[in-house]
Amino acid sequence: MAGVATSGTRPLLSLEGITKAYPGVVANDGISLDLFAGEIHALVGENGAGKTTLVGAIHGLHQPDAGRILLDGEPVTMPSPRAALARGLGYVQQHFSLIPTLTVAENLVLALRGSPQAVGIGEAADRIEELGERYGLRVDPHALVADLSVGLQQRAELLKALAREARVLTLDEPNSLLAPQEWDELERVLRRLAESGVGILLISHKLDEVLRVADRISVLRRGRLVATLPAAEATEQQLAELMVGTLQQPVTRDGASRPRAGEPLLVVEDLWVEGDRGEDAVAGVTLTARAGEVLGIAGVEGSGQVELTEALCGARPMKRGTIRLDGRDISSAGVRERRALGLAHVPADRREGGLVGTLSVAENLALPTIGEHGRFGFLDRRAIRHRAEELIGTFDVRVPGPDTLVNALSGGNQQKVVLARELSRPLRVLLCCYPTWGLDVAAAAAVQRQVLALRDRGAAVVYASVELDELLAVTDRIVVLNRGRIAGEIATAEATADRLGLMMAGARAA
Ligand SMILES: Nc1ncnc2c1ncn2[C@@H]1O[C@H](COP(=O)(O)OP(=O)(O)OP(=O)(O)O)[C@@H](O)[C@H]1O
Ligand SMILES: [Mg+2]
Protein backbone atom coordinates (compact mmCIF):
# COMPACT_ATOMS: atom_id res chain seq x y z
CA MET A 1 0.00 0.00 0.00
CA ALA A 2 3.05 2.26 -0.26
CA GLY A 3 2.25 4.11 2.95
CA VAL A 4 -1.17 5.37 1.92
CA ALA A 5 -3.60 5.50 4.78
CA THR A 6 -6.99 4.20 3.72
CA SER A 7 -8.55 3.66 7.11
CA GLY A 8 -9.08 6.27 9.72
CA THR A 9 -8.45 9.08 7.22
CA ARG A 10 -11.13 10.88 5.35
CA PRO A 11 -11.19 10.07 1.64
CA LEU A 12 -10.38 12.91 -0.71
CA LEU A 13 -13.15 11.82 -3.04
CA SER A 14 -16.03 9.42 -2.41
CA LEU A 15 -18.56 8.00 -4.80
CA GLU A 16 -21.74 6.69 -3.23
CA GLY A 17 -24.13 4.56 -5.24
CA ILE A 18 -23.41 6.16 -8.62
CA THR A 19 -25.96 4.92 -11.14
CA LYS A 20 -26.28 5.82 -14.81
CA ALA A 21 -28.52 4.11 -17.34
CA TYR A 22 -28.52 4.53 -21.11
CA PRO A 23 -31.13 3.05 -23.42
CA GLY A 24 -30.74 -0.71 -23.17
CA VAL A 25 -27.84 -0.70 -20.70
CA VAL A 26 -27.11 0.22 -17.09
CA ALA A 27 -23.62 1.63 -17.50
CA ASN A 28 -23.07 2.22 -13.76
CA ASP A 29 -25.12 0.35 -11.21
CA GLY A 30 -24.81 1.68 -7.66
CA ILE A 31 -21.04 2.11 -7.64
CA SER A 32 -19.34 3.24 -4.43
CA LEU A 33 -15.64 3.82 -4.03
CA ASP A 34 -13.18 6.01 -2.18
CA LEU A 35 -10.09 7.77 -3.42
CA PHE A 36 -7.51 8.86 -0.85
CA ALA A 37 -4.95 11.62 -1.12
CA GLY A 38 -1.66 10.09 -2.24
CA GLU A 39 -3.29 6.99 -3.64
CA ILE A 40 -3.03 5.55 -7.13
CA HIS A 41 -6.35 3.79 -7.61
CA ALA A 42 -6.73 1.76 -10.79
CA LEU A 43 -10.06 1.10 -12.45
CA VAL A 44 -10.17 -2.03 -14.60
CA GLY A 45 -12.88 -3.92 -16.42
CA GLU A 46 -13.91 -5.27 -19.79
CA ASN A 47 -14.73 -3.01 -22.72
CA GLY A 48 -18.10 -1.50 -21.92
CA ALA A 49 -17.89 -2.28 -18.18
CA GLY A 50 -18.61 1.36 -17.33
CA LYS A 51 -15.19 2.86 -16.51
CA THR A 52 -15.38 5.96 -18.71
CA THR A 53 -18.98 6.55 -17.65
CA LEU A 54 -18.00 6.46 -13.99
CA VAL A 55 -15.20 9.00 -14.30
CA GLY A 56 -17.46 11.06 -16.59
CA ALA A 57 -19.75 11.60 -13.58
CA ILE A 58 -16.83 12.81 -11.46
CA HIS A 59 -15.67 15.26 -14.10
CA GLY A 60 -19.02 16.74 -15.00
CA LEU A 61 -19.44 15.13 -18.40
CA HIS A 62 -22.88 13.86 -17.47
CA GLN A 63 -25.21 13.80 -14.49
CA PRO A 64 -25.71 10.42 -12.80
CA ASP A 65 -29.30 9.20 -12.35
CA ALA A 66 -28.64 8.43 -8.70
CA GLY A 67 -25.84 8.58 -6.16
CA ARG A 68 -23.62 11.18 -4.55
CA ILE A 69 -20.13 12.56 -5.03
CA LEU A 70 -18.33 13.78 -1.93
CA LEU A 71 -15.21 15.91 -1.95
CA ASP A 72 -13.44 16.18 1.42
CA GLY A 73 -16.55 14.63 2.93
CA GLU A 74 -18.90 17.29 1.51
CA PRO A 75 -21.51 16.40 -1.12
CA VAL A 76 -20.86 18.26 -4.38
CA THR A 77 -22.45 18.45 -7.80
CA MET A 78 -20.49 18.58 -11.02
CA PRO A 79 -22.72 20.41 -13.48
CA SER A 80 -19.96 20.77 -16.09
CA PRO A 81 -16.35 19.82 -16.87
CA ARG A 82 -15.40 23.41 -16.01
CA ALA A 83 -16.98 23.11 -12.56
CA ALA A 84 -15.04 19.92 -11.91
CA LEU A 85 -11.79 21.58 -12.97
CA ALA A 86 -12.52 24.55 -10.74
CA ARG A 87 -12.76 22.14 -7.80
CA GLY A 88 -9.34 20.74 -8.60
CA LEU A 89 -10.41 17.61 -10.47
CA GLY A 90 -8.15 17.14 -13.50
CA TYR A 91 -9.05 14.73 -16.29
CA VAL A 92 -6.77 13.48 -19.04
CA GLN A 93 -9.07 11.88 -21.57
CA GLN A 94 -7.99 9.21 -23.93
CA HIS A 95 -8.16 11.49 -26.89
CA PHE A 96 -5.89 14.44 -26.53
CA SER A 97 -7.43 17.85 -26.14
CA LEU A 98 -4.39 19.94 -27.11
CA ILE A 99 -4.58 22.17 -30.18
CA PRO A 100 -1.92 20.82 -32.54
CA THR A 101 -1.23 24.08 -34.37
CA LEU A 102 -0.31 25.91 -31.15
CA THR A 103 2.75 25.58 -28.95
CA VAL A 104 2.63 23.85 -25.58
CA ALA A 105 2.77 27.25 -23.81
CA GLU A 106 -0.01 28.69 -25.97
CA ASN A 107 -2.16 25.68 -25.17
CA LEU A 108 -1.59 26.28 -21.49
CA VAL A 109 -2.62 29.93 -21.77
CA LEU A 110 -5.88 28.81 -23.39
CA ALA A 111 -6.51 26.05 -20.86
CA LEU A 112 -6.03 28.34 -17.88
CA ARG A 113 -7.96 31.29 -19.28
CA GLY A 114 -10.61 32.48 -16.85
CA SER A 115 -9.30 30.30 -14.01
CA PRO A 116 -7.52 31.49 -10.85
CA GLN A 117 -4.29 30.15 -12.38
CA ALA A 118 -4.63 32.19 -15.59
CA VAL A 119 -1.27 33.16 -17.11
CA GLY A 120 0.21 35.17 -19.98
CA ILE A 121 2.43 33.54 -22.56
CA GLY A 122 5.75 34.30 -20.83
CA GLU A 123 4.50 33.01 -17.50
CA ALA A 124 3.06 29.93 -19.16
CA ALA A 125 6.49 28.95 -20.45
CA ASP A 126 8.00 29.46 -16.98
CA ARG A 127 5.22 27.45 -15.40
CA ILE A 128 5.76 24.57 -17.82
CA GLU A 129 9.47 24.57 -17.06
CA GLU A 130 8.93 24.77 -13.32
CA LEU A 131 6.34 21.96 -13.27
CA GLY A 132 8.48 19.96 -15.67
CA GLU A 133 11.40 20.32 -13.28
CA ARG A 134 9.34 19.38 -10.24
CA TYR A 135 7.77 16.25 -11.72
CA GLY A 136 10.42 15.21 -14.22
CA LEU A 137 8.05 15.99 -17.09
CA ARG A 138 10.21 18.11 -19.32
CA VAL A 139 8.62 19.46 -22.51
CA ASP A 140 9.83 22.35 -24.63
CA PRO A 141 7.18 25.04 -23.98
CA HIS A 142 7.81 26.55 -27.40
CA ALA A 143 7.41 23.31 -29.37
CA LEU A 144 4.38 22.97 -31.63
CA VAL A 145 2.11 20.25 -30.27
CA ALA A 146 1.89 18.72 -33.76
CA ASP A 147 5.64 18.13 -33.67
CA LEU A 148 5.57 16.18 -30.39
CA SER A 149 5.53 12.39 -30.15
CA VAL A 150 2.56 10.73 -28.46
CA GLY A 151 4.61 10.40 -25.28
CA LEU A 152 5.47 14.09 -25.22
CA GLN A 153 1.87 15.09 -25.95
CA GLN A 154 0.89 12.95 -22.99
CA ARG A 155 3.34 14.92 -20.85
CA ALA A 156 1.90 18.19 -22.10
CA GLU A 157 -1.64 16.99 -21.26
CA LEU A 158 -0.50 16.07 -17.77
CA LEU A 159 1.22 19.42 -17.32
CA LYS A 160 -2.00 21.13 -18.30
CA ALA A 161 -3.89 19.28 -15.58
CA LEU A 162 -1.11 19.95 -13.07
CA ALA A 163 -1.06 23.65 -13.83
CA ARG A 164 -4.68 23.73 -12.70
CA GLU A 165 -3.37 22.49 -9.36
CA ALA A 166 -5.42 19.33 -9.58
CA ARG A 167 -5.87 17.39 -6.35
CA VAL A 168 -7.56 14.53 -8.14
CA LEU A 169 -6.18 13.38 -11.45
CA THR A 170 -8.00 10.91 -13.68
CA LEU A 171 -6.27 9.28 -16.64
CA ASP A 172 -8.39 7.25 -19.07
CA GLU A 173 -6.17 4.69 -20.81
CA PRO A 174 -3.11 6.92 -20.92
CA ASN A 175 -0.84 4.07 -21.86
CA SER A 176 -2.50 2.59 -24.92
CA LEU A 177 -0.03 3.93 -27.41
CA LEU A 178 2.95 4.52 -25.18
CA ALA A 179 6.14 2.62 -25.88
CA PRO A 180 7.38 0.64 -22.86
CA GLN A 181 10.02 3.21 -21.91
CA GLU A 182 7.45 6.01 -22.12
CA TRP A 183 5.18 4.05 -19.82
CA ASP A 184 8.03 3.62 -17.30
CA GLU A 185 8.42 7.34 -17.29
CA LEU A 186 4.69 7.98 -16.83
CA GLU A 187 4.75 5.52 -13.96
CA ARG A 188 7.50 7.51 -12.22
CA VAL A 189 5.57 10.73 -12.72
CA LEU A 190 2.38 9.24 -11.27
CA ARG A 191 4.30 8.03 -8.20
CA ARG A 192 5.82 11.45 -7.65
CA LEU A 193 2.39 13.07 -7.98
CA ALA A 194 0.90 10.66 -5.50
CA GLU A 195 3.73 11.36 -3.08
CA SER A 196 2.86 15.03 -3.27
CA GLY A 197 -0.69 14.19 -2.16
CA VAL A 198 -2.62 13.99 -5.42
CA GLY A 199 -5.25 11.23 -5.63
CA ILE A 200 -4.96 9.42 -8.94
CA LEU A 201 -7.60 7.39 -10.75
CA LEU A 202 -6.05 5.33 -13.52
CA ILE A 203 -8.07 3.45 -16.15
CA SER A 204 -6.08 0.82 -18.00
CA HIS A 205 -6.36 -2.55 -19.73
CA LYS A 206 -2.71 -3.39 -19.09
CA LEU A 207 -3.04 -5.46 -15.96
CA ASP A 208 0.69 -6.00 -15.45
CA GLU A 209 1.30 -2.27 -15.45
CA VAL A 210 -1.68 -1.66 -13.19
CA LEU A 211 -0.35 -4.19 -10.70
CA ARG A 212 3.01 -2.44 -10.69
CA VAL A 213 1.87 1.13 -10.26
CA ALA A 214 -1.42 1.06 -8.35
CA ASP A 215 -1.99 0.99 -4.60
CA ARG A 216 -5.52 -0.30 -4.92
CA ILE A 217 -7.52 -1.71 -7.81
CA SER A 218 -11.27 -1.58 -8.35
CA VAL A 219 -12.81 -4.01 -10.81
CA LEU A 220 -16.01 -3.21 -12.72
CA ARG A 221 -18.09 -5.87 -14.40
CA ARG A 222 -21.10 -4.97 -16.52
CA GLY A 223 -21.75 -1.75 -14.67
CA ARG A 224 -21.19 -3.11 -11.16
CA LEU A 225 -18.25 -2.82 -8.81
CA VAL A 226 -17.21 -6.41 -8.08
CA ALA A 227 -14.10 -5.81 -5.97
CA THR A 228 -11.70 -3.24 -4.57
CA LEU A 229 -8.44 -4.80 -3.47
CA PRO A 230 -4.88 -3.83 -2.59
CA ALA A 231 -2.62 -4.29 -5.62
CA ALA A 232 -0.06 -6.08 -3.46
CA GLU A 233 -2.57 -8.88 -2.88
CA ALA A 234 -3.82 -9.18 -6.47
CA THR A 235 -2.61 -11.19 -9.46
CA GLU A 236 -3.16 -10.70 -13.16
CA GLN A 237 -5.09 -13.96 -13.45
CA GLN A 238 -7.34 -13.07 -10.52
CA LEU A 239 -8.10 -9.62 -11.98
CA ALA A 240 -8.92 -11.11 -15.37
CA GLU A 241 -11.28 -13.56 -13.71
CA LEU A 242 -12.96 -10.85 -11.66
CA MET A 243 -13.42 -8.79 -14.81
CA VAL A 244 -15.20 -11.46 -16.82
CA GLY A 245 -16.41 -13.90 -14.20
CA THR A 246 -14.63 -16.88 -15.83
CA LEU A 247 -11.17 -18.23 -16.44
CA GLN A 248 -9.30 -16.86 -19.45
CA GLN A 249 -7.08 -18.78 -21.82
CA PRO A 250 -4.31 -16.63 -23.24
CA VAL A 251 -3.26 -17.07 -26.86
CA THR A 252 -0.18 -19.25 -27.00
CA ARG A 253 1.93 -20.34 -29.92
CA ASP A 254 1.84 -23.84 -31.25
CA GLY A 255 4.33 -23.76 -34.06
CA ALA A 256 4.17 -27.50 -34.69
CA SER A 257 0.93 -27.98 -36.64
CA ARG A 258 1.26 -24.93 -38.83
CA PRO A 259 1.48 -25.12 -42.59
CA ARG A 260 4.54 -23.44 -44.05
CA ALA A 261 4.22 -19.96 -45.45
CA GLY A 262 3.14 -20.01 -49.10
CA GLU A 263 3.51 -17.72 -52.09
CA PRO A 264 4.29 -14.04 -51.68
CA LEU A 265 1.03 -12.05 -51.52
CA LEU A 266 2.28 -8.60 -50.65
CA VAL A 267 5.63 -7.54 -52.04
CA VAL A 268 6.97 -4.12 -51.14
CA GLU A 269 10.12 -2.71 -52.70
CA ASP A 270 12.04 0.38 -51.68
CA LEU A 271 9.03 2.17 -50.25
CA TRP A 272 9.39 5.81 -49.23
CA VAL A 273 6.58 7.62 -47.42
CA GLU A 274 6.39 11.10 -45.97
CA GLY A 275 5.13 11.64 -42.43
CA ASP A 276 2.85 14.48 -41.32
CA ARG A 277 5.80 16.82 -40.92
CA GLY A 278 7.28 16.08 -44.33
CA GLU A 279 9.97 13.81 -42.85
CA ASP A 280 10.84 10.43 -44.35
CA ALA A 281 8.65 8.37 -42.03
CA VAL A 282 9.26 5.28 -44.18
CA ALA A 283 12.67 5.27 -45.83
CA GLY A 284 13.36 2.52 -48.33
CA VAL A 285 11.41 -0.39 -46.83
CA THR A 286 11.51 -3.70 -48.69
CA LEU A 287 9.48 -6.62 -47.39
CA THR A 288 7.37 -9.59 -48.41
CA ALA A 289 4.32 -11.02 -46.65
CA ARG A 290 3.46 -14.56 -47.69
CA ALA A 291 0.23 -16.49 -47.75
CA GLY A 292 -0.32 -18.21 -44.42
CA GLU A 293 2.02 -16.06 -42.36
CA VAL A 294 1.76 -13.22 -39.88
CA LEU A 295 4.57 -10.77 -40.46
CA GLY A 296 5.20 -8.68 -37.36
CA ILE A 297 6.39 -5.09 -37.62
CA ALA A 298 8.14 -4.27 -34.36
CA GLY A 299 9.15 -0.78 -33.41
CA VAL A 300 8.68 1.98 -30.92
CA GLU A 301 5.91 4.51 -31.38
CA GLY A 302 7.02 6.91 -34.11
CA SER A 303 9.21 4.36 -35.89
CA GLY A 304 7.07 4.48 -39.03
CA GLN A 305 4.59 1.65 -38.38
CA VAL A 306 1.57 3.91 -38.81
CA GLU A 307 2.81 5.53 -42.03
CA LEU A 308 3.88 2.17 -43.44
CA THR A 309 0.50 0.50 -42.96
CA GLU A 310 -1.33 3.60 -44.17
CA ALA A 311 0.73 3.72 -47.36
CA LEU A 312 0.21 0.01 -47.99
CA CYS A 313 -3.56 0.37 -47.84
CA GLY A 314 -3.51 3.50 -49.98
CA ALA A 315 -4.64 5.95 -47.31
CA ARG A 316 -1.32 7.84 -47.42
CA PRO A 317 0.49 8.74 -50.62
CA MET A 318 3.87 7.16 -51.26
CA LYS A 319 6.85 9.04 -52.56
CA ARG A 320 8.65 6.20 -54.23
CA GLY A 321 8.71 2.43 -54.49
CA THR A 322 6.45 -0.39 -55.62
CA ILE A 323 3.73 -2.36 -53.90
CA ARG A 324 2.52 -5.62 -55.44
CA LEU A 325 -0.54 -7.54 -54.37
CA ASP A 326 -0.73 -11.07 -55.73
CA GLY A 327 1.78 -10.13 -58.42
CA ARG A 328 -0.14 -7.10 -59.54
CA ASP A 329 1.35 -3.62 -59.21
CA ILE A 330 -1.03 -1.62 -56.99
CA SER A 331 1.36 1.28 -56.31
CA SER A 332 -0.94 3.80 -57.90
CA ALA A 333 -4.26 2.16 -56.99
CA GLY A 334 -6.59 4.03 -54.61
CA VAL A 335 -7.93 2.77 -51.30
CA ARG A 336 -11.13 1.45 -52.82
CA GLU A 337 -9.41 -0.41 -55.60
CA ARG A 338 -6.99 -2.04 -53.17
CA ARG A 339 -9.88 -3.06 -50.96
CA ALA A 340 -11.66 -4.62 -53.90
CA LEU A 341 -8.52 -6.65 -54.57
CA GLY A 342 -8.65 -8.09 -51.07
CA LEU A 343 -6.61 -5.73 -48.93
CA ALA A 344 -8.11 -4.98 -45.52
CA HIS A 345 -6.85 -2.41 -43.03
CA VAL A 346 -7.27 -1.92 -39.28
CA PRO A 347 -5.82 1.53 -38.58
CA ALA A 348 -4.05 2.59 -35.40
CA ASP A 349 -6.58 5.25 -34.60
CA ARG A 350 -10.16 4.03 -34.54
CA ARG A 351 -11.34 7.54 -35.25
CA GLU A 352 -9.70 7.06 -38.63
CA GLY A 353 -11.20 3.61 -38.96
CA GLY A 354 -14.03 4.89 -41.10
CA LEU A 355 -16.72 4.57 -38.44
CA VAL A 356 -19.61 7.00 -38.72
CA GLY A 357 -20.74 7.76 -35.18
CA THR A 358 -24.20 8.91 -36.15
CA LEU A 359 -24.98 5.70 -38.04
CA SER A 360 -25.96 2.42 -36.40
CA VAL A 361 -23.62 -0.48 -35.77
CA ALA A 362 -25.37 -2.46 -38.53
CA GLU A 363 -24.99 0.37 -41.02
CA ASN A 364 -21.33 0.81 -40.16
CA LEU A 365 -20.70 -2.87 -40.65
CA ALA A 366 -22.34 -2.61 -44.08
CA LEU A 367 -20.39 0.51 -45.11
CA PRO A 368 -17.81 -1.24 -47.31
CA THR A 369 -20.52 -2.84 -49.42
CA ILE A 370 -22.27 0.45 -50.11
CA GLY A 371 -19.82 1.31 -52.87
CA GLU A 372 -20.72 -1.97 -54.51
CA HIS A 373 -24.48 -1.82 -54.11
CA GLY A 374 -25.35 1.84 -54.04
CA ARG A 375 -27.11 3.64 -51.22
CA PHE A 376 -28.61 2.08 -48.11
CA GLY A 377 -32.03 2.44 -49.67
CA PHE A 378 -31.22 -0.20 -52.24
CA LEU A 379 -29.74 -2.62 -49.77
CA ASP A 380 -31.66 -5.38 -48.15
CA ARG A 381 -32.07 -3.96 -44.65
CA ARG A 382 -32.99 -7.29 -43.20
CA ALA A 383 -29.86 -8.91 -44.56
CA ILE A 384 -27.76 -6.06 -43.16
CA ARG A 385 -29.31 -6.48 -39.76
CA HIS A 386 -28.91 -10.23 -39.79
CA ARG A 387 -25.25 -9.98 -40.78
CA ALA A 388 -24.65 -7.38 -38.07
CA GLU A 389 -26.17 -9.66 -35.45
CA GLU A 390 -23.81 -12.42 -36.52
CA LEU A 391 -20.73 -10.19 -36.36
CA ILE A 392 -21.78 -8.70 -33.02
CA GLY A 393 -21.84 -12.26 -31.69
CA THR A 394 -18.54 -13.36 -33.25
CA PHE A 395 -16.64 -10.29 -32.10
CA ASP A 396 -18.48 -10.00 -28.81
CA VAL A 397 -19.39 -6.35 -29.36
CA ARG A 398 -21.15 -5.20 -26.18
CA VAL A 399 -24.09 -3.28 -27.55
CA PRO A 400 -27.84 -3.33 -26.87
CA GLY A 401 -28.54 -4.20 -30.53
CA PRO A 402 -27.51 -3.69 -34.17
CA ASP A 403 -29.53 -0.47 -34.38
CA THR A 404 -27.55 1.27 -31.60
CA LEU A 405 -25.58 4.26 -32.85
CA VAL A 406 -21.82 3.81 -32.87
CA ASN A 407 -21.45 7.01 -30.81
CA ALA A 408 -23.09 5.24 -27.87
CA LEU A 409 -20.48 2.48 -27.78
CA SER A 410 -17.58 2.38 -25.35
CA GLY A 411 -14.15 3.04 -26.84
CA GLY A 412 -13.12 -0.60 -26.99
CA ASN A 413 -16.41 -1.67 -28.51
CA GLN A 414 -16.00 0.86 -31.32
CA GLN A 415 -12.64 -0.72 -32.04
CA LYS A 416 -14.34 -4.14 -32.13
CA VAL A 417 -16.74 -2.85 -34.81
CA VAL A 418 -13.80 -1.76 -37.00
CA LEU A 419 -12.18 -5.16 -36.49
CA ALA A 420 -15.42 -7.03 -37.19
CA ARG A 421 -15.89 -5.14 -40.44
CA GLU A 422 -12.33 -5.56 -41.69
CA LEU A 423 -11.68 -9.13 -40.57
CA SER A 424 -14.95 -10.48 -41.93
CA ARG A 425 -14.38 -9.36 -45.50
CA PRO A 426 -13.11 -11.78 -48.11
CA LEU A 427 -9.46 -10.82 -47.96
CA ARG A 428 -6.00 -11.79 -49.18
CA VAL A 429 -3.92 -9.43 -47.08
CA LEU A 430 -4.75 -7.90 -43.70
CA LEU A 431 -2.83 -4.85 -42.55
CA CYS A 432 -3.20 -4.01 -38.91
CA CYS A 433 -1.59 -1.37 -36.79
CA TYR A 434 -1.97 -1.74 -33.00
CA PRO A 435 -5.20 -3.72 -33.53
CA THR A 436 -5.68 -4.58 -29.87
CA TRP A 437 -5.27 -0.99 -28.72
CA GLY A 438 -7.91 -0.16 -26.13
CA LEU A 439 -9.24 -3.73 -25.97
CA ASP A 440 -9.61 -5.64 -22.73
CA VAL A 441 -7.59 -8.80 -22.16
CA ALA A 442 -10.27 -11.20 -23.42
CA ALA A 443 -11.18 -9.09 -26.45
CA ALA A 444 -7.50 -8.72 -27.37
CA ALA A 445 -7.04 -12.49 -27.19
CA ALA A 446 -10.18 -13.00 -29.31
CA VAL A 447 -8.83 -10.65 -31.99
CA GLN A 448 -5.49 -12.44 -32.00
CA ARG A 449 -7.29 -15.75 -32.47
CA GLN A 450 -9.23 -14.32 -35.42
CA VAL A 451 -5.98 -13.09 -36.97
CA LEU A 452 -4.45 -16.56 -36.59
CA ALA A 453 -7.56 -18.14 -38.12
CA LEU A 454 -7.27 -15.82 -41.14
CA ARG A 455 -3.64 -16.78 -41.51
CA ASP A 456 -4.51 -20.46 -41.34
CA ARG A 457 -7.01 -19.92 -44.14
CA GLY A 458 -4.15 -18.63 -46.26
CA ALA A 459 -4.21 -14.87 -45.82
CA ALA A 460 -1.06 -12.83 -45.33
CA VAL A 461 -1.18 -10.62 -42.25
CA VAL A 462 1.02 -7.61 -41.53
CA TYR A 463 0.81 -6.95 -37.79
CA ALA A 464 2.38 -3.81 -36.33
CA SER A 465 2.73 -3.56 -32.57
CA VAL A 466 4.87 -1.88 -29.93
CA GLU A 467 4.40 -4.82 -27.57
CA LEU A 468 6.90 -7.64 -27.56
CA ASP A 469 4.59 -10.16 -25.90
CA GLU A 470 1.94 -9.60 -28.51
CA LEU A 471 4.41 -9.92 -31.39
CA LEU A 472 5.82 -13.11 -29.92
CA ALA A 473 2.34 -14.58 -29.49
CA VAL A 474 0.84 -13.93 -32.92
CA THR A 475 3.58 -13.53 -35.54
CA ASP A 476 5.65 -16.00 -37.56
CA ARG A 477 8.38 -13.60 -38.55
CA ILE A 478 9.26 -10.14 -37.27
CA VAL A 479 10.98 -7.19 -38.89
CA VAL A 480 12.17 -4.38 -36.65
CA LEU A 481 11.47 -0.88 -37.88
CA ASN A 482 13.68 2.00 -36.78
CA ARG A 483 13.10 5.53 -37.99
CA GLY A 484 11.44 4.25 -41.10
CA ARG A 485 14.12 1.69 -41.96
CA ILE A 486 14.23 -2.03 -41.42
CA ALA A 487 16.85 -2.62 -38.76
CA GLY A 488 16.62 -6.38 -38.53
CA GLU A 489 14.57 -9.49 -39.11
CA ILE A 490 14.05 -12.62 -37.05
CA ALA A 491 11.92 -15.76 -37.20
CA THR A 492 9.54 -15.63 -34.25
CA ALA A 493 10.46 -19.20 -33.32
CA GLU A 494 14.01 -17.99 -32.68
CA ALA A 495 12.98 -14.75 -30.97
CA THR A 496 12.72 -14.13 -27.26
CA ALA A 497 11.54 -10.97 -25.57
CA ASP A 498 15.16 -10.28 -24.57
CA ARG A 499 16.55 -10.78 -28.04
CA LEU A 500 13.83 -8.70 -29.67
CA GLY A 501 14.22 -6.05 -27.00
CA LEU A 502 17.94 -5.89 -27.79
CA MET A 503 17.26 -5.61 -31.52
CA MET A 504 14.88 -2.76 -30.87
CA ALA A 505 17.24 -1.13 -28.39
CA GLY A 506 20.11 -1.44 -30.86
CA ALA A 507 17.88 0.07 -33.45
CA ARG A 508 16.98 2.86 -31.10
CA ALA A 509 20.61 3.67 -30.37
CA ALA A 510 21.50 3.70 -34.08
N1 LIG B 1 -23.62 8.41 -24.48
C1 LIG B 1 -24.01 7.13 -24.40
N2 LIG B 1 -25.20 6.74 -24.90
C2 LIG B 1 -25.60 5.46 -24.81
N3 LIG B 1 -24.88 4.47 -24.23
C3 LIG B 1 -23.68 4.80 -23.71
C4 LIG B 1 -23.18 6.14 -23.78
N4 LIG B 1 -21.96 6.16 -23.17
C5 LIG B 1 -21.72 4.89 -22.78
N5 LIG B 1 -22.75 4.07 -23.09
C6 LIG B 1 -22.83 2.63 -22.78
O1 LIG B 1 -22.50 2.45 -21.44
C7 LIG B 1 -21.70 1.27 -21.26
C8 LIG B 1 -20.41 1.60 -20.56
O2 LIG B 1 -19.60 2.35 -21.44
P1 LIG B 1 -18.20 2.95 -21.00
O3 LIG B 1 -17.75 3.84 -22.09
O4 LIG B 1 -18.30 3.52 -19.64
O5 LIG B 1 -17.28 1.62 -20.95
P2 LIG B 1 -15.75 1.46 -20.62
O6 LIG B 1 -15.64 0.60 -19.41
O7 LIG B 1 -15.09 2.79 -20.57
O8 LIG B 1 -15.24 0.60 -21.89
P3 LIG B 1 -13.89 0.70 -22.79
O9 LIG B 1 -12.86 -0.11 -22.08
O10 LIG B 1 -14.28 0.02 -24.06
O11 LIG B 1 -13.54 2.13 -22.97
C9 LIG B 1 -21.52 0.69 -22.65
O12 LIG B 1 -22.46 -0.34 -22.84
C10 LIG B 1 -21.81 1.83 -23.58
O13 LIG B 1 -22.31 1.38 -24.80
MG1 LIG C 1 -13.68 3.77 -21.84
Side-chain angles (χ1 to χ4, degrees), residues 51-52 172-173 410-411:
K51 305 177 296 292
T52 299
D172 196 345
E173 292 187 47
S410 78

PDB file of all heavy atoms in Angstrom, residues 51-52 172-173 410-411, ligand 2:
ATOM      1  N   LYS A  51     -16.284   2.077 -17.093  1.00  0.00           N
ATOM      2  CA  LYS A  51     -15.186   2.861 -16.509  1.00  0.00           C
ATOM      3  C   LYS A  51     -15.260   4.333 -16.912  1.00  0.00           C
ATOM      4  O   LYS A  51     -15.238   5.227 -16.066  1.00  0.00           O
ATOM      5  CB  LYS A  51     -13.830   2.269 -16.951  1.00  0.00           C
ATOM      6  CG  LYS A  51     -13.669   0.793 -16.628  1.00  0.00           C
ATOM      7  CD  LYS A  51     -12.357   0.233 -17.143  1.00  0.00           C
ATOM      8  CE  LYS A  51     -12.205   0.253 -18.647  1.00  0.00           C
ATOM      9  NZ  LYS A  51     -13.111  -0.657 -19.364  1.00  0.00           N
ATOM     10  N   THR A  52     -15.350   4.574 -18.224  1.00  0.00           N
ATOM     11  CA  THR A  52     -15.376   5.956 -18.708  1.00  0.00           C
ATOM     12  C   THR A  52     -16.629   6.674 -18.211  1.00  0.00           C
ATOM     13  O   THR A  52     -16.595   7.849 -17.863  1.00  0.00           O
ATOM     14  CB  THR A  52     -15.289   5.988 -20.252  1.00  0.00           C
ATOM     15  OG1 THR A  52     -14.049   5.373 -20.638  1.00  0.00           O
ATOM     16  CG2 THR A  52     -15.321   7.404 -20.791  1.00  0.00           C
ATOM     17  N   ASP A 172      -7.635   8.314 -18.404  1.00  0.00           N
ATOM     18  CA  ASP A 172      -8.395   7.253 -19.070  1.00  0.00           C
ATOM     19  C   ASP A 172      -7.525   6.625 -20.155  1.00  0.00           C
ATOM     20  O   ASP A 172      -7.288   7.231 -21.195  1.00  0.00           O
ATOM     21  CB  ASP A 172      -9.675   7.836 -19.687  1.00  0.00           C
ATOM     22  CG  ASP A 172     -10.692   6.745 -20.048  1.00  0.00           C
ATOM     23  OD1 ASP A 172     -10.307   5.553 -20.080  1.00  0.00           O
ATOM     24  OD2 ASP A 172     -11.863   7.083 -20.303  1.00  0.00           O
ATOM     25  N   GLU A 173      -7.036   5.435 -19.880  1.00  0.00           N
ATOM     26  CA  GLU A 173      -6.173   4.695 -20.808  1.00  0.00           C
ATOM     27  C   GLU A 173      -5.028   5.538 -21.346  1.00  0.00           C
ATOM     28  O   GLU A 173      -4.890   5.716 -22.554  1.00  0.00           O
ATOM     29  CB  GLU A 173      -6.986   4.143 -21.980  1.00  0.00           C
ATOM     30  CG  GLU A 173      -7.943   3.063 -21.546  1.00  0.00           C
ATOM     31  CD  GLU A 173      -8.616   2.400 -22.738  1.00  0.00           C
ATOM     32  OE1 GLU A 173      -7.898   2.058 -23.689  1.00  0.00           O
ATOM     33  OE2 GLU A 173      -9.833   2.234 -22.709  1.00  0.00           O
ATOM     34  N   SER A 410     -18.813   2.077 -26.074  1.00  0.00           N
ATOM     35  CA  SER A 410     -17.579   2.377 -25.349  1.00  0.00           C
ATOM     36  C   SER A 410     -16.425   2.327 -26.341  1.00  0.00           C
ATOM     37  O   SER A 410     -16.538   1.750 -27.422  1.00  0.00           O
ATOM     38  CB  SER A 410     -17.354   1.359 -24.236  1.00  0.00           C
ATOM     39  OG  SER A 410     -16.839   0.151 -24.752  1.00  0.00           O
ATOM     40  N   GLY A 411     -15.299   2.950 -25.945  1.00  0.00           N
ATOM     41  CA  GLY A 411     -14.145   3.041 -26.837  1.00  0.00           C
ATOM     42  C   GLY A 411     -13.726   1.695 -27.410  1.00  0.00           C
ATOM     43  O   GLY A 411     -13.542   1.545 -28.620  1.00  0.00           O
TER      44      GLY A 411
HETATM   45 MG    MG B   2     -13.679   3.775 -21.837  1.00  0.00          MG
END
